[in-house]
């Protein structure tokens, strides 16, 4: 979530007019919260459906291990699918600012700080 949320928020809010930014941000955060809750629910259903409630003792511990393994592989499969589909997301339409060219310094400006530092060292 930490890797995906900022990028998805930027993609979604990039096309919203500034006057609607508050409403758009609220909708994005609500969808993120709902998606998180739904994801936890789905993973929980998978895990607890695989553990089985009728098994007891040492077999139950092995069942938890197997259920954990299957559930983690489910997470890996979903994350891989999302990574493969992420290039299909629309690009942001906001123009990127070009880096500003550094201002040309005159020789007097570039040597002024060095002279000032030299004077401070001489007086110390």
């Amino acid at each position: 979530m930490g890797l995906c949320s900022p990028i998805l928020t930027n993609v979604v809010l990039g096309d919203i007019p500034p006057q609607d930014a508050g409403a758009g941000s609220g909708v994005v955060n609500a969808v993120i919260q709902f998606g998180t809750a739904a994801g936890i629910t789905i993973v929980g259903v998978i895990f607890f459906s695989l553990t089985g409630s009728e098994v007891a003792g040492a077999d139950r511990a092995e069942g938890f291990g197997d259920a954990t393994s299957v559930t983690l592989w489910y997470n890996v499969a979903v994350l891989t699918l999302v990574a493969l589909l992420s290039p299909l997301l629309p690009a942001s339409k906001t123009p990127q600012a070009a880096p500003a060219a550094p201002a040309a310094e005159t020789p007097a400006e570039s040597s002024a700080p060095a002279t000032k530092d030299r004077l401070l060292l001489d007086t110390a």
Side-chain angles (χ1 to χ4, degrees):
M1 286 299 296
L3 294 174
C4 297
S5 292
I7 296 167
L8 290 175
T9 303
N10 189 26
V11 168
V12 171
L13 294 178
D15 295 335
I16 294 179
Q19 65 269 18
D20 295 331
S25 177
V27 169
V28 167
N29 285 318
V31 169
I32 288 173
Q33 293 295 321
F34 175 76
T36 301
I40 291 170
T41 302
I42 291 169
V43 170
V45 166
I46 292 171
F47 177 78
F48 287 111
S49 67
L50 293 172
T51 58
S53 60
E54 66 278 348
V55 181
D59 291 336
R60 185 172 178 103
E62 185 178 322
F64 274 121
D66 293 341
T68 301
S69 176
V70 171
T71 305
L72 290 175
W73 280 112
Y74 165 79
N75 286 328
V76 169
V78 170
L79 289 174
T80 302
L81 178 67
V82 168
L84 291 173
L85 294 176
S86 64
L88 301 176
L89 288 171
S92 177
K93 294 180 183 175
T94 56
Q96 300 294 328
E105 292 184 11
T106 61
E109 289 175 347
S110 63
S111 64
T115 305
K116 183 178 177 182
D117 290 342
R118 191 175 314 127
L119 290 175
L120 290 175
L121 290 174
D122 289 340
T123 59

